[in-house]
Amino acid sequence: MLQLRRVTYTFDVPLALLLLLTLSLFSLFLVLPLSFLILRPLTGLSLEPFLDMLRYPYLSVPPIGEWYVISERGEYKLLRLLGMNFGVVLNTIFIASAVTVLSTVIGILVATVMARYDFPGKTLLRIASIMPLLYTPFVGAFVLYKIFGDGGLIGSLMLSLGLPVAVEFAGIAGVIVAQTIMFWPIVYLNTMASMLQIDPTLEEQAENMGSRGLSLYRTITLPLSLPGIAAGAGLVFIFSMEDLAAPLAFKVRDVMSVRIVENILASGNIEELGTEVVIVAGLLLLMALGWFFAVRHYVSLKQYAMLSRGGRWKPRVFKPGLLVSGLIYFVVFPLVLFSALPQIGVFLYAFSESWRGTLPEGFTFDHFVAVLSDDNVVRGLRNSVIYSLAALVVIVVIGSTSSYLVSRLNLRGISALDALVMSPLAIPGLSIAMGLLVLYGVLFKDTPLDPYVNPAFLLVIGYAIRKSPFTTRAVFAGLQQVHKALEEAAMNLGASRTRTLFTIVLPLIGLNLIAGSLISFVYSMSEVSTSITVGSLNREQAPLTYYIYDYLTSGYGGGAFIHLASAIVALMIIVQLAAIVLSNYVLKYRYAFLGI
Amino acid sequence: MGELVLERITKYYGQFKALDNVSLRINRGEIFTLLGPSGCGKSTTLRVIAGLELPEEGKVYLDGEDITLKKPYERSTAMMFQNYALWPHMTVFDNVAYGLKMKGYGREEIRKRVKWALELVGLSGLENRFPLQLSGGQQQRVALARAIVVEPKVLLLDEPLSNLDAKLRVRVREEIVTLQRKLGITMVYVTHDQEEAMSISDRIAIMDKGRVVQVGTPKEIYHKPTNFFVATFMGRSNVLRGVVKSVSDGLYRVALGKASLYGMAPGERPGIGEDVVVVIRHEAVRRALSGEETNVLEGTAERVSFIGLALQVKVRVEEGVSIIGYLRGDEEVEVGAPIRVAVSPEDVKIYPFSALED
Ligand SMILES: Nc1ncnc2c1ncn2[C@@H]1O[C@H](COP(=O)(O)OP(=O)(O)O)[C@@H](O)[C@H]1O
Ligand SMILES: [Mg+2]
């Protein structure tokens, strides 16, 4: 009774409508599709697809292949790291685990150096370590293949240094290396943010009690950084599972992401979609959720969304000793610079005439000209812009509404809403894409909304749901700076909730909304999971990222087409950079948003 | 207009009871102050009046109308927030005009009224500044102007002086009183500063842990604190343990160790033989006249400090019994010298011992 009175008093009509709107959008376009994804295979009355999960290619025990091969090449030995094939499901888990462990180690190492030491070249390192977050759909992984893969630069480099062995990575080993390079900065940035937030007196107190050096680090610094580490590791695991680029570049077909995409691309209508890939997409979702709840113990989704501003105090910073200096210049520097290679490589490909040998040759703008006069690309670009703008309308509504509710409503269960609206960050995009495809493919079969006829609608929805958390978080950050009393003062003077929202709240968070929208828009433009699956179903309506994928993989893939794809991605990087710089300037964030 | 009644208000934040059965009757046109230590529920009371918090129990009446369930924007209560809550994206003029716009006044009327309000608070000429371009004192005045310009039935001020420096505080509080008298508006004023409360209020409600413990005029509160909390909250006092020896005609004789004093019990009346606490204000303790015998304590001067007009002396009566009092500034006392101090029986306040345990 009392609770009811409280609810009716807190909820004026506008608030209730806002809540209803948010909940229905998320139910229709996230919760229902994902539930359907999980439940539909169960309604098939057939165990067969589930039993498939226990057979090749989904499961392959004992594994096939070799961990590594050494071959004599006259003057030198070639060490080729491969990794064995355990089948689609176990491969995915194995790769994600390995990438998570490696990324976490590297991320913590670099974060420690950056957060606690002051040394010449630190700024360079800081910039280089953020470079990998510039999103390079597909092409980045192909650059890494050029470096680490068959006959790659690493091997050549070792030989030219006079070493008797050359190393190259292929298959699963290559995927692990590439993904580690792509994803470790996520751990680094999150850990760094945590470390900068540690109250220096906590460490000083421990020091005061006789703890120092490694023991201080192990007993105080690391445990206090755990939320950041967990957030980073949590994301990396999920990103790795749904990544397509590295498996494609290193020609690994037996992972979940590739199976899902290949199957959708090959299907002409909803019946042709194999039940086993629906199961795979559901499994991907369950694995991500399971992992997410495991790390959630340490971290709330808030830290997933964007990195905090760093400490309010002056963090403790030291001059490195000899040992640490060695570590910095011989381990950390090369690692970090190496990780910026995909972005650098994209530009090398985009501006070079050819890159067959060790170094790229010839300088040209031809690829940009070619790309911008390619009908497919131009149409894809136009489609992407239209979808992203349409998605942005939805995103602005979702983002401002849900963040307002979460920050202002003092009701039980409101944190569940928070988790719901931020969850797209931790849910594999391919599962969302598959869920939307299956649900709306069945519901609207042979209507204008059938994704096999008009994928545009689902693309907009997919972009909106997946990229809304960036805006939500930016607005939320703004709302936290707007003291509640500012709204209360308005209501106290006779302004209704709606008038308060429009005259007080919106003007004060306007910049946050704009900055968040900018980021959401840019990431919509470079969205991959929905774009190449749902987007492939009608080429007339396919977005830009689909054509990048198409250039790299389809009949006309390889050869010169990587230059063309790179030219597109180079343009995307420039737009991303501009958006990030601009929104950081507006929001005064110390770090970039995490791109997904 | 402006008679406000709170009837048995109880307010929880989660499990925490912030207001416990609070009842108040605030007369039209008076300055009514809620006084109490930080966290006792003063702001919460104001927020309940303004409709910013919904109480779990109880009712709020304004001029006889039950407004408990009315939304903040449906009540004629204007609040001045502790941090002022000025809108940073609006000029001074727009801040003050906001409430008038919400009431649907015409442009000309709004201009006239804003001008009037700004003149009243002495801010004419600053209409086009933004809040961040103003000093703390000026911001405070804008907040005040914004609240009074809508001519509310009740003006609610939440620690309006707490963000000002000490000198400004005294001046502004006098201005607020002048303004209130001029407008004849009912005012509920929140502060934790007893001197501030004493100097401006018609009546004061003392709050402690979400409860109203005493309501009265400043004089009543000061001279007849009905419970231990109020007695020790107002001014600086000696607190001593004692045992009631005898009672006659409301005059209690209380033993403090070997010595004893006569005193009064303004609240609950203890019985003979009962343990009590005795509260004596520092300024009520003076040097005994030669020949004075009743209510005199003899001891040695343990500490003497010169504090301007007076000498503050701590007198050690016996093991465990010391009392602080004031002597005239020109008197001479040596540390360690014997000294006799006296206190009149009406200044010796006796409360049941259980009051200490709260
Ligand atoms: N929104 C809130 N949620 C939980 N507790 C609160 C909230 N607001 C106030 N309180 C608690 O209620 C008590 C009374 O608060 P308040 O009315 O602000 O006290 P005062 O204004 O007298 O200092 C305090 O203990 C405070 O911590
Ligand atoms: Mg308060």
Side-chain angles (χ1 to χ4, degrees):
Chain A
M1 192 50 223
L2 264 180
Q3 189 64 21
L4 188 66
R5 175 166 131 171
R6 145 132 310 107
V7 169
T8 52
Y9 191 79
T10 335
F11 268 106
D12 29 35
V13 175
L15 270 192
L17 285 179
L18 290 180
L19 182 64
L20 200 66
L21 184 68
T22 308
L23 284 180
S24 33
L25 281 172
F26 272 85
S27 314
L28 283 179
F29 301 126
L30 187 70
V31 179
L32 280 181
L34 291 181
S35 315
F36 198 67
L37 177 68
I38 305 281
L39 296 179
R40 181 168 156 84
L42 301 177
T43 61
L45 296 178
S46 159
L47 265 184
E48 203 47 37
F50 290 97
L51 291 177
D52 279 348
M53 291 295 116
L54 301 176
R55 303 192 188 110
Y56 186 84
Y58 296 105
L59 189 67
S60 166
V61 178
I64 314 164
E66 311 282 345
W67 287 108
Y68 62 90
V69 179
I70 300 176
S71 48
E72 294 286 341
R73 293 285 166 97
E75 281 138 58
Y76 67 96
K77 283 196 177 103
L78 179 68
L79 170 60
R80 200 172 145 79
L81 293 167
L82 287 161
M84 298 181 85
N85 186 348
F86 290 86
V88 168
V89 176
L90 287 183
N91 285 347
T92 303
I93 296 176
F94 173 68
I95 293 173
S97 309
V99 170
T100 303
V101 170
L102 291 172
S103 299
T104 304
V105 171
I106 299 175
I108 292 176
L109 177 68
V110 178
T112 305
V113 165
M114 297 298 281
R116 289 289 181 265
Y117 292 98
D118 217 354
F119 50 89
K122 188 170 170 178
T123 309
L124 173 70
L125 209 55
R126 193 184 342 247
I127 294 170
S129 61
I130 295 178
M131 286 269 287
L133 292 179
L134 291 172
Y135 197 51
T136 56
F138 299 112
V139 181
F142 280 80
V143 173
L144 289 171
Y145 175 73
K146 178 89 191 154
I147 295 165
F148 290 95
D150 306 296
L153 299 184
I154 289 292
S156 318
L157 189 69
M158 292 172 89
L159 294 181
S160 60
L161 286 176
L163 297 177
V165 275
V167 178
E168 64 185 34
F169 295 83
I172 287 174
V175 173
I176 291 174
V177 170
Q179 289 186 346
T180 301
I181 287 183
M182 294 193 290
F183 297 143
W184 72 262
I186 293 166
V187 180
Y188 152 68
L189 284 173
N190 278 289
T191 308
M192 172 92 166
S194 267
M195 281 184 176
L196 289 180
Q197 268 168 2
I198 298 175
D199 183 344
T201 56
L202 292 176
E203 289 184 0
E204 279 155 16
Q205 177 69 45
E207 231 166 26
N208 191 253
M209 297 170 128
S211 177
R212 63 186 58 225
L214 262 186
S215 113
L216 174 74
Y217 183 74
R218 198 172 44 78
T219 53
I220 306 291
T221 315
L222 263 193
L224 289 175
S225 310
L226 212 50
I229 298 171
L235 280 182
V236 167
F237 191 85
I238 291 163
F239 287 7
S240 164
M241 285 201 303
E242 73 158 338
D243 176 55
L244 259 179
L248 287 176
F250 285 85
K251 305 185 184 76
V252 174
R253 283 188 64 229
D254 286 339
V255 289
M256 294 164 95
S257 57
V258 173
R259 289 285 159 169
I260 294 172
V261 170
E262 283 185 349
N263 223 289
I264 294 178
L265 286 175
S267 69
N269 59 53
I270 193 76
E271 272 88 33
E272 284 174 36
L273 199 61
T275 307
E276 61 304 339
V277 286
V278 178
I279 296 176
V280 168
L283 201 57
L284 188 64
L285 170 68
L286 293 179
M287 278 158 46
L289 287 180
W291 170 251
F292 170 70
F293 282 110
V295 294
R296 202 178 105 113
H297 180 62
Y298 295 110
V299 67
S300 80
L301 264 175
K302 288 185 178 61
Q303 279 145 306
Y304 280 106
M306 79 181 57
L307 298 157
S308 69
R309 189 187 288 224
R312 278 150 289 167
W313 30 65
K314 202 173 164 341
R316 286 155 47 103
V317 179
F318 305 99
K319 288 257 167 291
L322 204 61
L323 192 69
V324 176
S325 289
L327 188 73
I328 290 174
Y329 290 105
F330 291 102
V331 180
V332 174
F333 257 89
L335 255 176
V336 173
L337 295 179
F338 232 79
S339 303
L341 284 178
Q343 282 71 18
I344 297 169
V346 165
F347 283 90
L348 292 180
Y349 266 125
F351 284 106
S352 66
E353 280 168 6
S354 74
W355 190 356
R356 297 226 161 68
T358 313
L359 292 176
E361 286 159 28
F363 179 85
T364 178
F365 282 111
D366 288 353
H367 307 307
F368 289 93
V369 176
V371 156
L372 292 175
S373 51
D374 179 327
D375 286 346
N376 280 336
V377 172
V378 173
R379 193 179 55 228
L381 178 64
R382 200 192 58 214
N383 287 343
S384 282
V385 171
I386 294 173
Y387 302 154
S388 302
L389 283 178
L392 194 56
V393 175
V394 185
I395 288 172
V396 165
V397 173
I398 295 178
S400 39
T401 305
S402 55
S403 54
Y404 184 78
L405 292 171
V406 169
S407 74
R408 292 298 192 262
L409 265 195
N410 193 5
L411 286 179
R412 222 171 298 153
I414 208 70
S415 60
L417 179 71
D418 188 31
L420 178 66
V421 298
M422 296 311 288
S423 66
L425 287 175
I427 295 176
L430 285 173
S431 303
I432 297 181
M434 183 67 106
L436 287 170
L437 183 62
V438 180
L439 179 65
Y440 289 86
V442 170
L443 279 186
F444 294 103
K445 188 161 160 43
D446 299 326
T447 72
L449 282 186
D450 185 345
Y452 281 90
V453 181
N454 284 316
F457 170 68
L458 283 192
L459 283 174
V460 172
I461 293 304
Y463 290 3
I465 292 289
R466 295 202 59 211
K467 305 307 178 186
S468 62
F470 299 104
T471 303
T472 306
R473 233 5 126 198
V475 175
F476 187 81
L479 283 170
Q480 284 189 315
Q481 317 244 305
V482 176
H483 199 287
K484 206 173 152 194
L486 293 179
E487 288 167 64
E488 291 173 346
M491 294 206 233
N492 182 247
L493 291 174
S496 65
R497 173 81 66 180
T498 320
R499 293 197 78 165
T500 307
L501 283 178
F502 280 97
T503 55
I504 308 293
V505 181
L506 260 187
L508 288 174
I509 57 155
L511 280 180
N512 291 70
L513 188 57
I514 290 171
S517 304
L518 197 60
I519 297 292
S520 288
F521 178 77
V522 170
Y523 286 144
S524 293
M525 288 289 293
S526 46
E527 202 271 359
V528 164
S529 303
T530 332
S531 301
I532 62 166
T533 51
V534 179
S536 72
L537 301 178
N538 177 348
R539 287 178 59 104
E540 285 291 315
Q541 297 181 4
L544 186 59
T545 33
Y546 171 75
Y547 285 102
I548 299 174
Y549 169 80
D550 201 38
Y551 270 151
L552 289 168
T553 56
S554 71
Y556 49 80
F561 287 98
I562 189 165
H563 293 277
L564 296 178
S566 296
I568 303 176
V569 173
L571 294 176
M572 284 181 149
I573 290 181
I574 292 168
V575 176
Q576 284 178 59
L577 255 182
I580 289 172
V581 168
L582 202 64
S583 71
N584 279 8
Y585 177 76
V586 169
L587 295 179
K588 300 187 180 58
Y589 286 134
R590 197 153 156 183
Y591 299 110
F593 291 76
L594 296 180
I596 302 180
Chain B
M1 287 215 306
E3 192 197 39
L4 187 67
V5 175
L6 273 65
E7 202 176 83
R8 306 172 70 78
I9 298 284
T10 297
K11 166 77 200 160
Y12 285 89
Y13 290 118
Q15 299 294 320
F16 177 75
K17 206 182 217 177
L19 293 182
D20 183 0
N21 212 350
V22 167
S23 295
L24 292 171
R25 172 175 297 272
I26 296 163
N27 302 322
R28 146 191 341 178
E30 78 173 334
I31 299 184
F32 189 92
T33 298
L34 302 175
L35 174 65
S38 168
C40 69
K42 307 179 297 286
S43 296
T44 306
T45 310
L46 272 200
R47 294 171 60 80
V48 167
I49 297 173
L52 297 168
E53 302 287 354
L54 178 73
E56 271 70 23
E57 283 166 40
K59 295 210 177 295
V60 185
Y61 297 92
L62 182 54
D63 288 332
E65 184 197 0
D66 179 356
I67 59 165
T68 318
L69 291 176
K70 284 242 158 57
K71 307 274 181 180
Y73 42 86
E74 297 163 342
R75 312 180 175 206
S76 185
T77 55
M79 174 136 159
M80 191 185 139
F81 290 77
Q82 187 167 4
N83 58 8
Y84 310 146
L86 297 178
W87 301 301
H89 61 301
M90 294 184 191
T91 60
V92 168
F93 181 91
D94 289 334
N95 264 282
V96 178
Y98 190 89
L100 298 171
K101 281 184 194 150
M102 293 304 136
K103 289 192 156 182
Y105 286 102
R107 273 180 54 151
E108 213 28 59
E109 185 66 18
I110 291 179
R111 243 222 313 277
K112 226 170 64 197
R113 288 179 186 239
V114 172
K115 187 163 178 280
W116 166 80
L118 287 178
E119 257 164 31
L120 214 53
V121 299
L123 278 186
S124 301
L126 297 182
E127 287 84 350
N128 294 320
R129 297 265 194 98
F130 284 91
L132 287 177
Q133 300 169 317
L134 301 176
S135 71
Q138 289 170 328
Q139 293 181 8
Q140 195 261 3
R141 283 149 202 265
V142 178
L144 188 58
R146 188 176 70 178
I148 59 174
V149 78
V150 295
E151 297 182 343
K153 289 183 179 171
V154 182
L155 183 61
L156 309 170
L157 306 182
D158 193 353
E159 311 220 5
L161 309 179
S162 62
N163 290 325
L164 304 180
D165 59 50
K167 243 192 191 153
L168 206 52
R169 230 176 273 168
V170 175
R171 209 180 84 204
V172 175
R173 86 183 181 208
E174 263 137 40
E175 287 173 7
I176 290 179
V177 175
T178 315
L179 195 72
Q180 187 272 345
R181 298 294 181 224
K182 196 144 111 196
L183 301 173
I185 198 172
T186 309
M187 185 163 114
V188 186
Y189 188 103
V190 161
T191 181
H192 65 263
D193 181 331
Q194 36 147 327
E195 191 212 316
E196 197 174 304
M198 290 287 158
S199 73
I200 68 161
S201 314
D202 294 316
R203 288 193 305 144
I204 297 175
I206 308 279
M207 296 187 66
D208 178 32
K209 301 197 194 92
R211 277 172 298 192
V212 171
V213 289
Q214 189 173 0
V215 181
T217 64
K219 277 196 179 127
E220 283 166 358
I221 298 268
Y222 191 83
H223 292 298
K224 294 207 181 63
T226 52
N227 76 26
F228 177 71
F229 173 80
V230 180
T232 46
F233 183 70
M234 308 296 288
R236 290 163 174 267
S237 302
N238 296 289
V239 178
L240 304 164
R241 290 182 59 162
V243 182
V244 176
K245 286 292 171 198
S246 64
V247 194
S248 72
D249 254 1
L251 200 61
Y252 289 72
R253 195 169 69 84
V254 177
L256 313 163
K258 286 186 219 96
S260 73
L261 287 176
Y262 288 99
M264 329 280 261
E268 203 178 314
R269 295 167 184 275
I272 293 172
E274 206 173 302
D275 282 340
V276 291
V277 274
V278 177
V279 179
I280 307 168
R281 285 190 205 292
H282 291 177
E283 65 265 27
V285 181
R286 57 185 168 80
R287 177 170 258 176
L289 306 173
S290 60
E292 191 174 5
E293 290 299 338
T294 42
N295 265 16
V296 168
L297 295 172
E298 294 184 33
T300 50
E302 190 174 58
R303 199 183 61 219
V304 181
S305 28
F306 180 62
I307 54 166
L309 279 178
L311 279 184
Q312 192 194 53
V313 187
K314 184 171 181 188
V315 178
R316 188 166 178 280
V317 181
E318 62 188 75
E319 181 67 36
V321 182
S322 292
I323 186 164
I324 294 174
Y326 291 110
L327 309 184
R328 284 207 323 273
D330 54 3
E331 288 187 81
E332 298 279 332
V333 189
E334 298 277 312
V335 174
I339 181 169
R340 295 171 71 237
V341 291
V343 52
S344 21
E346 58 269 27
D347 288 329
V348 178
K349 311 250 156 54
I350 295 158
Y351 302 96
F353 188 73
S354 56
L356 261 189
E357 275 140 28
D358 261 354

